[in-house]
Amino acid sequence: AINFVPAMISQEKYFKKLNTEMPVLWIYYGLMIVMAIYNLLIFLSTRDRDYILYVMFIVSYIIFQMTLNGHAFQYLWPNAIWWANNSLPFFIVMSILFAGIFTTSVIDAKNSFPGLFRLMLILVILPAAIIAVLSLTIKYSIAIKLATAFIAIGAVTWYIGLIYAMIKGSRPARFHVLGWTGLILGIVLFALKTFDILPLIFLTQWSLQIGSSLVVILLSL
């Protein structure tokens, strides 16, 4: 079974959960938005496309998180019922798509590692684009399973590609392996928790937020 259905809880437990989680989530959103603006300003001053690709990843990831937590429907598209009900798999896949495009650009995979570039294109970037489109045309129950499975497999594949580039001497790949390690672990833990392989504990519940916070700070530095 895949665990995306909220459980019924008492009013007291709900408000306790709300008061505990909401401040943490909004601090997290604020951090991610600040990092997106920071990298957008660098792009405007340098015109280096890697920065705008990074901004696109951060923005897609923020929206994914807001959609996952119900805040996108609450604040961004409160009247778009169909979109609210079907957009989560789309943003899950878009985040890995932009991450893949960004990292292949940063390590200049097309020129420095043409074999790796083709592999990333075939196994990560093109499947992500296809699944993103499919997620809006097939049943949600199928789309969410497909997107969740792909993000775990795609993220690990792309991370192995970065390790390969690092071993081959790519200096940018060294920093990216370090930066993305936390998020890759977070994605894998999230996927395992979603498929009920791991229990719902603090680490699995907040793994995506912890991992993505680390990556945006480390890569921005």
Side-chain angles (χ1 to χ4, degrees), residues 18-201:
L18 199 66
N19 292 330
T20 303
E21 292 185 359
M22 286 300 289
V24 176
L25 282 173
W26 283 105
I27 290 171
Y28 167 75
Y29 292 150
L31 170 66
M32 296 291 282
I33 291 169
V34 166
M35 289 293 99
I37 295 171
Y38 170 71
N39 284 280
L40 178 61
L41 292 175
I42 295 177
F43 166 74
L44 293 174
S45 63
T46 64
R47 298 297 174 179
D48 185 337
R49 72 169 188 164
D50 289 340
Y51 286 101
I52 195 63
L53 290 173
Y54 193 36
V55 170
M56 292 168 75
F57 160 72
I58 296 174
V59 170
S60 65
Y61 199 88
I62 294 171
I63 299 176
F64 154 54
Q65 283 291 317
M66 293 187 73
T67 305
L68 181 65
N69 295 308
H71 298 131
F73 177 62
Q74 185 176 358
Y75 297 107
L76 300 181
W77 42 74
N79 299 316
I81 305 300
W82 180 89
W83 179 245
N85 288 334
N86 293 276
S87 59
L88 179 59
F90 175 79
F91 286 114
I92 288 176
V93 178
M94 289 302 292
S95 62
I96 197 72
L97 173 63
F98 284 123
I101 295 172
F102 167 62
T103 51
T104 52
S105 175
V106 167
I107 66 174
D108 193 24
K110 188 173 183 179
N111 297 312
S112 301
F113 309 100
L116 176 61
F117 176 76
R118 287 192 294 270
L119 190 67
M120 292 284 288
L121 194 64
I122 294 169
L123 297 182
V124 179
I125 296 173
L126 286 179
I130 293 169
I131 294 172
V133 175
L134 280 177
S135 68
L136 301 177
T137 60
I138 60 179
K139 288 177 61 177
Y140 175 83
S141 58
I142 299 173
I144 193 65
K145 291 177 183 179
L146 184 63
T148 305
F150 171 76
I151 196 173
I153 296 169
V156 171
T157 302
W158 140 67
Y159 185 66
I160 291 172
L162 278 176
I163 293 175
Y164 170 81
M166 179 185 71
I167 292 171
K168 290 296 183 179
S170 171
R171 180 176 171 81
R174 298 177 192 173
F175 295 100
H176 278 259
V177 167
L178 175 63
W180 290 104
T181 296
L183 183 56
I184 296 298
L185 290 174
I187 288 171
V188 172
L189 289 174
F190 171 77
L192 293 175
K193 181 265 297 182
T194 300
F195 284 103
D196 289 330
I197 297 172
L198 289 180
L200 179 63
I201 57 175

